[in-house]
Amino acid sequence: DLAQDVVRAKALLDNHPEGFEQIGVLGISAGGWTMVRAEQEVDFDFMISVVGPATSVQDQQLQSAAYGSAFFGLSPKIQARLVEYTNLMFDVPATEAGFRQLDGLLALSKEEGWYELLESTDIAEDAAGIEGLWVRRHQFDPKAVLETYSKPFLAVYGEQDWIVPPKENIELLKQYFKDRPENLTTIKA
């Protein structure tokens, strides 16, 4: 787990002969989840997130499906299939029947032009591979940690990013930090 690497790095810096006064962390993209997950075990003096989602992994995947569908001009029918596939990645049983369900939608994705929205880590090669999908191995929701984080948090988002849409993520962060807005800085670039 990458968060454990961050925890070990923080421990190394905590015990460094230089005696650092403040130790923070920078997470980029999915590294935003990683640093917040590490915060569950350590205490960073500040966190910097560069296009790191403030949503759960599942919500981020669903947002990407919706925005990606619009970006590529997919019809509502095709968008519904993409959303179905996205939900199945999280929920389908790791059985032959579950794999056939995923694989059937995957075949349609190639015909209908939404295959390009999938990453290789979104595709299981067989029933056993379902549990190895990236989203299953890395399910996380940063909400509980961020709602209680009381130190400086800087979040930088891209102006037009359909993978990590700035509007939704900034709104969530503002909700998480509503009792301590002075600790949150967001930038849309």
Side-chain angles (χ1 to χ4, degrees), residues 10-39:
K10 172 73 163 61
L12 178 78
L13 293 172
D14 281 338
N15 298 306
H16 196 276
E18 294 285 330
F20 299 110
E21 289 182 29
Q22 292 197 347
I23 300 170
V25 64
L26 168 72
I28 300 171
S29 191
W33 284 315
T34 303
M35 72 177 189
V36 174
R37 182 176 254 168
E39 174 65 19

PDB file of all heavy atoms in Angstrom, residues 10-39:
ATOM      1  N   LYS A  10       7.462   9.714   6.584  1.00  0.00           N
ATOM      2  CA  LYS A  10       7.204  10.679   7.659  1.00  0.00           C
ATOM      3  C   LYS A  10       7.964  10.270   8.914  1.00  0.00           C
ATOM      4  O   LYS A  10       8.568  11.117   9.586  1.00  0.00           O
ATOM      5  CB  LYS A  10       5.692  10.753   7.935  1.00  0.00           C
ATOM      6  CG  LYS A  10       5.291  11.564   9.155  1.00  0.00           C
ATOM      7  CD  LYS A  10       5.436  13.031   8.960  1.00  0.00           C
ATOM      8  CE  LYS A  10       4.700  13.895   9.963  1.00  0.00           C
ATOM      9  NZ  LYS A  10       5.017  13.810  11.348  1.00  0.00           N
ATOM     10  N   ALA A  11       7.968   9.006   9.245  1.00  0.00           N
ATOM     11  CA  ALA A  11       8.705   8.525  10.427  1.00  0.00           C
ATOM     12  C   ALA A  11      10.201   8.798  10.275  1.00  0.00           C
ATOM     13  O   ALA A  11      10.868   9.206  11.236  1.00  0.00           O
ATOM     14  CB  ALA A  11       8.452   7.033  10.645  1.00  0.00           C
ATOM     15  N   LEU A  12      10.728   8.602   9.078  1.00  0.00           N
ATOM     16  CA  LEU A  12      12.143   8.879   8.816  1.00  0.00           C
ATOM     17  C   LEU A  12      12.441  10.355   9.046  1.00  0.00           C
ATOM     18  O   LEU A  12      13.426  10.708   9.701  1.00  0.00           O
ATOM     19  CB  LEU A  12      12.495   8.473   7.381  1.00  0.00           C
ATOM     20  CG  LEU A  12      13.927   8.740   6.955  1.00  0.00           C
ATOM     21  CD1 LEU A  12      14.839   7.667   7.535  1.00  0.00           C
ATOM     22  CD2 LEU A  12      14.040   8.749   5.444  1.00  0.00           C
ATOM     23  N   LEU A  13      11.575  11.222   8.535  1.00  0.00           N
ATOM     24  CA  LEU A  13      11.790  12.667   8.714  1.00  0.00           C
ATOM     25  C   LEU A  13      11.593  13.096  10.166  1.00  0.00           C
ATOM     26  O   LEU A  13      12.303  13.976  10.657  1.00  0.00           O
ATOM     27  CB  LEU A  13      10.856  13.447   7.790  1.00  0.00           C
ATOM     28  CG  LEU A  13      11.155  13.295   6.298  1.00  0.00           C
ATOM     29  CD1 LEU A  13      10.057  13.945   5.464  1.00  0.00           C
ATOM     30  CD2 LEU A  13      12.520  13.873   5.952  1.00  0.00           C
ATOM     31  N   ASP A  14      10.641  12.479  10.855  1.00  0.00           N
ATOM     32  CA  ASP A  14      10.434  12.785  12.275  1.00  0.00           C
ATOM     33  C   ASP A  14      11.687  12.513  13.098  1.00  0.00           C
ATOM     34  O   ASP A  14      11.963  13.206  14.075  1.00  0.00           O
ATOM     35  CB  ASP A  14       9.284  11.953  12.854  1.00  0.00           C
ATOM     36  CG  ASP A  14       7.917  12.502  12.497  1.00  0.00           C
ATOM     37  OD1 ASP A  14       7.801  13.699  12.169  1.00  0.00           O
ATOM     38  OD2 ASP A  14       6.944  11.713  12.548  1.00  0.00           O
ATOM     39  N   ASN A  15      12.444  11.482  12.708  1.00  0.00           N
ATOM     40  CA  ASN A  15      13.628  11.071  13.459  1.00  0.00           C
ATOM     41  C   ASN A  15      14.935  11.509  12.811  1.00  0.00           C
ATOM     42  O   ASN A  15      16.006  11.060  13.211  1.00  0.00           O
ATOM     43  CB  ASN A  15      13.615   9.550  13.638  1.00  0.00           C
ATOM     44  CG  ASN A  15      12.415   9.110  14.442  1.00  0.00           C
ATOM     45  OD1 ASN A  15      12.188   9.595  15.540  1.00  0.00           O
ATOM     46  ND2 ASN A  15      11.620   8.216  13.876  1.00  0.00           N
ATOM     47  N   HIS A  16      14.847  12.388  11.836  1.00  0.00           N
ATOM     48  CA  HIS A  16      16.038  12.859  11.114  1.00  0.00           C
ATOM     49  C   HIS A  16      16.891  13.744  12.021  1.00  0.00           C
ATOM     50  O   HIS A  16      16.370  14.523  12.811  1.00  0.00           O
ATOM     51  CB  HIS A  16      15.599  13.642   9.870  1.00  0.00           C
ATOM     52  CG  HIS A  16      16.696  13.839   8.887  1.00  0.00           C
ATOM     53  ND1 HIS A  16      17.609  14.855   8.998  1.00  0.00           N
ATOM     54  CD2 HIS A  16      17.030  13.145   7.779  1.00  0.00           C
ATOM     55  CE1 HIS A  16      18.465  14.791   7.998  1.00  0.00           C
ATOM     56  NE2 HIS A  16      18.128  13.764   7.231  1.00  0.00           N
ATOM     57  N   PRO A  17      18.217  13.624  11.926  1.00  0.00           N
ATOM     58  CA  PRO A  17      19.102  14.446  12.768  1.00  0.00           C
ATOM     59  C   PRO A  17      18.914  15.957  12.569  1.00  0.00           C
ATOM     60  O   PRO A  17      19.205  16.734  13.470  1.00  0.00           O
ATOM     61  CB  PRO A  17      20.509  14.027  12.336  1.00  0.00           C
ATOM     62  CG  PRO A  17      20.363  12.771  11.571  1.00  0.00           C
ATOM     63  CD  PRO A  17      18.947  12.683  11.106  1.00  0.00           C
ATOM     64  N   GLU A  18      18.431  16.369  11.407  1.00  0.00           N
ATOM     65  CA  GLU A  18      18.203  17.789  11.153  1.00  0.00           C
ATOM     66  C   GLU A  18      17.096  18.354  12.040  1.00  0.00           C
ATOM     67  O   GLU A  18      17.020  19.566  12.238  1.00  0.00           O
ATOM     68  CB  GLU A  18      17.830  18.023   9.684  1.00  0.00           C
ATOM     69  CG  GLU A  18      18.917  17.706   8.701  1.00  0.00           C
ATOM     70  CD  GLU A  18      20.006  18.766   8.671  1.00  0.00           C
ATOM     71  OE1 GLU A  18      19.715  19.954   8.934  1.00  0.00           O
ATOM     72  OE2 GLU A  18      21.156  18.399   8.395  1.00  0.00           O
ATOM     73  N   GLY A  19      16.205  17.517  12.507  1.00  0.00           N
ATOM     74  CA  GLY A  19      15.120  17.967  13.366  1.00  0.00           C
ATOM     75  C   GLY A  19      14.187  18.948  12.684  1.00  0.00           C
ATOM     76  O   GLY A  19      14.038  20.077  13.120  1.00  0.00           O
ATOM     77  N   PHE A  20      13.547  18.528  11.629  1.00  0.00           N
ATOM     78  CA  PHE A  20      12.653  19.413  10.870  1.00  0.00           C
ATOM     79  C   PHE A  20      11.530  19.949  11.754  1.00  0.00           C
ATOM     80  O   PHE A  20      10.933  19.219  12.533  1.00  0.00           O
ATOM     81  CB  PHE A  20      12.067  18.670   9.668  1.00  0.00           C
ATOM     82  CG  PHE A  20      13.114  18.195   8.694  1.00  0.00           C
ATOM     83  CD1 PHE A  20      13.386  16.850   8.563  1.00  0.00           C
ATOM     84  CD2 PHE A  20      13.828  19.099   7.936  1.00  0.00           C
ATOM     85  CE1 PHE A  20      14.352  16.401   7.677  1.00  0.00           C
ATOM     86  CE2 PHE A  20      14.803  18.669   7.046  1.00  0.00           C
ATOM     87  CZ  PHE A  20      15.070  17.312   6.917  1.00  0.00           C
ATOM     88  N   GLU A  21      11.235  21.246  11.583  1.00  0.00           N
ATOM     89  CA  GLU A  21      10.180  21.870  12.389  1.00  0.00           C
ATOM     90  C   GLU A  21       8.796  21.525  11.874  1.00  0.00           C
ATOM     91  O   GLU A  21       7.862  21.360  12.646  1.00  0.00           O
ATOM     92  CB  GLU A  21      10.363  23.384  12.402  1.00  0.00           C
ATOM     93  CG  GLU A  21      11.558  23.824  13.206  1.00  0.00           C
ATOM     94  CD  GLU A  21      11.692  25.328  13.247  1.00  0.00           C
ATOM     95  OE1 GLU A  21      10.672  26.024  13.170  1.00  0.00           O
ATOM     96  OE2 GLU A  21      12.837  25.793  13.350  1.00  0.00           O
ATOM     97  N   GLN A  22       8.647  21.467  10.554  1.00  0.00           N
ATOM     98  CA  GLN A  22       7.355  21.129   9.968  1.00  0.00           C
ATOM     99  C   GLN A  22       7.564  20.123   8.853  1.00  0.00           C
ATOM    100  O   GLN A  22       8.491  20.252   8.052  1.00  0.00           O
ATOM    101  CB  GLN A  22       6.662  22.366   9.414  1.00  0.00           C
ATOM    102  CG  GLN A  22       6.234  23.323  10.493  1.00  0.00           C
ATOM    103  CD  GLN A  22       5.202  24.305   9.987  1.00  0.00           C
ATOM    104  OE1 GLN A  22       4.966  24.439   8.801  1.00  0.00           O
ATOM    105  NE2 GLN A  22       4.559  24.994  10.915  1.00  0.00           N
ATOM    106  N   ILE A  23       6.661  19.165   8.812  1.00  0.00           N
ATOM    107  CA  ILE A  23       6.728  18.133   7.782  1.00  0.00           C
ATOM    108  C   ILE A  23       5.363  18.038   7.126  1.00  0.00           C
ATOM    109  O   ILE A  23       4.347  17.820   7.793  1.00  0.00           O
ATOM    110  CB  ILE A  23       7.134  16.764   8.372  1.00  0.00           C
ATOM    111  CG1 ILE A  23       8.504  16.867   9.041  1.00  0.00           C
ATOM    112  CG2 ILE A  23       7.126  15.697   7.276  1.00  0.00           C
ATOM    113  CD1 ILE A  23       8.896  15.654   9.846  1.00  0.00           C
ATOM    114  N   GLY A  24       5.349  18.261   5.826  1.00  0.00           N
ATOM    115  CA  GLY A  24       4.116  18.178   5.067  1.00  0.00           C
ATOM    116  C   GLY A  24       4.239  17.153   3.972  1.00  0.00           C
ATOM    117  O   GLY A  24       5.250  16.449   3.865  1.00  0.00           O
ATOM    118  N   VAL A  25       3.204  17.089   3.158  1.00  0.00           N
ATOM    119  CA  VAL A  25       3.179  16.090   2.097  1.00  0.00           C
ATOM    120  C   VAL A  25       2.516  16.695   0.862  1.00  0.00           C
ATOM    121  O   VAL A  25       1.626  17.541   0.975  1.00  0.00           O
ATOM    122  CB  VAL A  25       2.450  14.807   2.567  1.00  0.00           C
ATOM    123  CG1 VAL A  25       0.998  15.060   2.863  1.00  0.00           C
ATOM    124  CG2 VAL A  25       2.627  13.667   1.584  1.00  0.00           C
ATOM    125  N   LEU A  26       2.971  16.257  -0.291  1.00  0.00           N
ATOM    126  CA  LEU A  26       2.414  16.662  -1.581  1.00  0.00           C
ATOM    127  C   LEU A  26       1.907  15.415  -2.282  1.00  0.00           C
ATOM    128  O   LEU A  26       2.642  14.439  -2.422  1.00  0.00           O
ATOM    129  CB  LEU A  26       3.495  17.333  -2.449  1.00  0.00           C
ATOM    130  CG  LEU A  26       3.169  17.554  -3.920  1.00  0.00           C
ATOM    131  CD1 LEU A  26       2.148  18.673  -4.073  1.00  0.00           C
ATOM    132  CD2 LEU A  26       4.436  17.892  -4.695  1.00  0.00           C
ATOM    133  N   GLY A  27       0.643  15.445  -2.687  1.00  0.00           N
ATOM    134  CA  GLY A  27       0.060  14.322  -3.417  1.00  0.00           C
ATOM    135  C   GLY A  27      -0.465  14.803  -4.755  1.00  0.00           C
ATOM    136  O   GLY A  27      -1.167  15.816  -4.821  1.00  0.00           O
ATOM    137  N   ILE A  28      -0.116  14.099  -5.808  1.00  0.00           N
ATOM    138  CA  ILE A  28      -0.551  14.460  -7.154  1.00  0.00           C
ATOM    139  C   ILE A  28      -1.495  13.377  -7.676  1.00  0.00           C
ATOM    140  O   ILE A  28      -1.178  12.193  -7.621  1.00  0.00           O
ATOM    141  CB  ILE A  28       0.655  14.630  -8.099  1.00  0.00           C
ATOM    142  CG1 ILE A  28       1.579  15.732  -7.574  1.00  0.00           C
ATOM    143  CG2 ILE A  28       0.199  14.930  -9.525  1.00  0.00           C
ATOM    144  CD1 ILE A  28       2.904  15.841  -8.307  1.00  0.00           C
ATOM    145  N   SER A  29      -2.651  13.788  -8.172  1.00  0.00           N
ATOM    146  CA  SER A  29      -3.679  12.897  -8.711  1.00  0.00           C
ATOM    147  C   SER A  29      -4.079  11.876  -7.640  1.00  0.00           C
ATOM    148  O   SER A  29      -4.465  12.262  -6.551  1.00  0.00           O
ATOM    149  CB  SER A  29      -3.197  12.260 -10.011  1.00  0.00           C
ATOM    150  OG  SER A  29      -4.256  11.610 -10.672  1.00  0.00           O
ATOM    151  N   ALA A  30      -3.963  10.591  -7.926  1.00  0.00           N
ATOM    152  CA  ALA A  30      -4.325   9.576  -6.930  1.00  0.00           C
ATOM    153  C   ALA A  30      -3.448   9.671  -5.683  1.00  0.00           C
ATOM    154  O   ALA A  30      -3.817   9.180  -4.623  1.00  0.00           O
ATOM    155  CB  ALA A  30      -4.247   8.180  -7.532  1.00  0.00           C
ATOM    156  N   GLY A  31      -2.305  10.349  -5.804  1.00  0.00           N
ATOM    157  CA  GLY A  31      -1.465  10.603  -4.636  1.00  0.00           C
ATOM    158  C   GLY A  31      -2.172  11.462  -3.604  1.00  0.00           C
ATOM    159  O   GLY A  31      -1.813  11.464  -2.426  1.00  0.00           O
ATOM    160  N   GLY A  32      -3.206  12.200  -4.044  1.00  0.00           N
ATOM    161  CA  GLY A  32      -4.028  12.959  -3.100  1.00  0.00           C
ATOM    162  C   GLY A  32      -4.743  12.027  -2.135  1.00  0.00           C
ATOM    163  O   GLY A  32      -4.850  12.316  -0.942  1.00  0.00           O
ATOM    164  N   TRP A  33      -5.256  10.923  -2.657  1.00  0.00           N
ATOM    165  CA  TRP A  33      -5.870   9.923  -1.776  1.00  0.00           C
ATOM    166  C   TRP A  33      -4.810   9.291  -0.878  1.00  0.00           C
ATOM    167  O   TRP A  33      -5.039   9.053   0.304  1.00  0.00           O
ATOM    168  CB  TRP A  33      -6.541   8.818  -2.580  1.00  0.00           C
ATOM    169  CG  TRP A  33      -7.845   9.158  -3.195  1.00  0.00           C
ATOM    170  CD1 TRP A  33      -8.903   9.826  -2.613  1.00  0.00           C
ATOM    171  CD2 TRP A  33      -8.271   8.824  -4.513  1.00  0.00           C
ATOM    172  NE1 TRP A  33      -9.948   9.915  -3.500  1.00  0.00           N
ATOM    173  CE2 TRP A  33      -9.585   9.319  -4.677  1.00  0.00           C
ATOM    174  CE3 TRP A  33      -7.680   8.153  -5.569  1.00  0.00           C
ATOM    175  CZ2 TRP A  33     -10.316   9.150  -5.848  1.00  0.00           C
ATOM    176  CZ3 TRP A  33      -8.397   7.999  -6.744  1.00  0.00           C
ATOM    177  CH2 TRP A  33      -9.703   8.496  -6.874  1.00  0.00           C
ATOM    178  N   THR A  34      -3.640   9.000  -1.464  1.00  0.00           N
ATOM    179  CA  THR A  34      -2.580   8.322  -0.727  1.00  0.00           C
ATOM    180  C   THR A  34      -2.133   9.136   0.476  1.00  0.00           C
ATOM    181  O   THR A  34      -1.987   8.615   1.577  1.00  0.00           O
ATOM    182  CB  THR A  34      -1.387   8.031  -1.658  1.00  0.00           C
ATOM    183  OG1 THR A  34      -1.844   7.247  -2.762  1.00  0.00           O
ATOM    184  CG2 THR A  34      -0.283   7.288  -0.941  1.00  0.00           C
ATOM    185  N   MET A  35      -1.937  10.439   0.274  1.00  0.00           N
ATOM    186  CA  MET A  35      -1.464  11.266   1.396  1.00  0.00           C
ATOM    187  C   MET A  35      -2.534  11.382   2.479  1.00  0.00           C
ATOM    188  O   MET A  35      -2.217  11.366   3.666  1.00  0.00           O
ATOM    189  CB  MET A  35      -1.011  12.645   0.912  1.00  0.00           C
ATOM    190  CG  MET A  35      -2.107  13.561   0.490  1.00  0.00           C
ATOM    191  SD  MET A  35      -1.447  15.181   0.035  1.00  0.00           S
ATOM    192  CE  MET A  35      -3.002  16.072  -0.134  1.00  0.00           C
ATOM    193  N   VAL A  36      -3.802  11.476   2.073  1.00  0.00           N
ATOM    194  CA  VAL A  36      -4.874  11.575   3.061  1.00  0.00           C
ATOM    195  C   VAL A  36      -5.019  10.252   3.816  1.00  0.00           C
ATOM    196  O   VAL A  36      -5.229  10.240   5.032  1.00  0.00           O
ATOM    197  CB  VAL A  36      -6.206  12.012   2.404  1.00  0.00           C
ATOM    198  CG1 VAL A  36      -7.353  11.983   3.402  1.00  0.00           C
ATOM    199  CG2 VAL A  36      -6.065  13.411   1.799  1.00  0.00           C
ATOM    200  N   ARG A  37      -4.866   9.154   3.110  1.00  0.00           N
ATOM    201  CA  ARG A  37      -4.909   7.844   3.785  1.00  0.00           C
ATOM    202  C   ARG A  37      -3.766   7.728   4.797  1.00  0.00           C
ATOM    203  O   ARG A  37      -3.955   7.233   5.910  1.00  0.00           O
ATOM    204  CB  ARG A  37      -4.822   6.719   2.750  1.00  0.00           C
ATOM    205  CG  ARG A  37      -4.910   5.352   3.385  1.00  0.00           C
ATOM    206  CD  ARG A  37      -4.926   4.280   2.359  1.00  0.00           C
ATOM    207  NE  ARG A  37      -6.280   3.768   2.301  1.00  0.00           N
ATOM    208  CZ  ARG A  37      -6.754   2.982   1.369  1.00  0.00           C
ATOM    209  NH1 ARG A  37      -5.984   2.611   0.375  1.00  0.00           N
ATOM    210  NH2 ARG A  37      -7.982   2.539   1.411  1.00  0.00           N
ATOM    211  N   ALA A  38      -2.581   8.221   4.428  1.00  0.00           N
ATOM    212  CA  ALA A  38      -1.440   8.195   5.354  1.00  0.00           C
ATOM    213  C   ALA A  38      -1.707   9.062   6.577  1.00  0.00           C
ATOM    214  O   ALA A  38      -1.285   8.723   7.691  1.00  0.00           O
ATOM    215  CB  ALA A  38      -0.167   8.649   4.643  1.00  0.00           C
ATOM    216  N   GLU A  39      -2.430  10.172   6.391  1.00  0.00           N
ATOM    217  CA  GLU A  39      -2.757  11.069   7.508  1.00  0.00           C
ATOM    218  C   GLU A  39      -3.559  10.347   8.590  1.00  0.00           C
ATOM    219  O   GLU A  39      -3.544  10.764   9.753  1.00  0.00           O
ATOM    220  CB  GLU A  39      -3.514  12.293   6.989  1.00  0.00           C
ATOM    221  CG  GLU A  39      -4.030  13.241   8.039  1.00  0.00           C
ATOM    222  CD  GLU A  39      -2.959  13.947   8.867  1.00  0.00           C
ATOM    223  OE1 GLU A  39      -1.783  14.012   8.441  1.00  0.00           O
ATOM    224  OE2 GLU A  39      -3.292  14.413   9.966  1.00  0.00           O
TER     225      GLU A  39
END
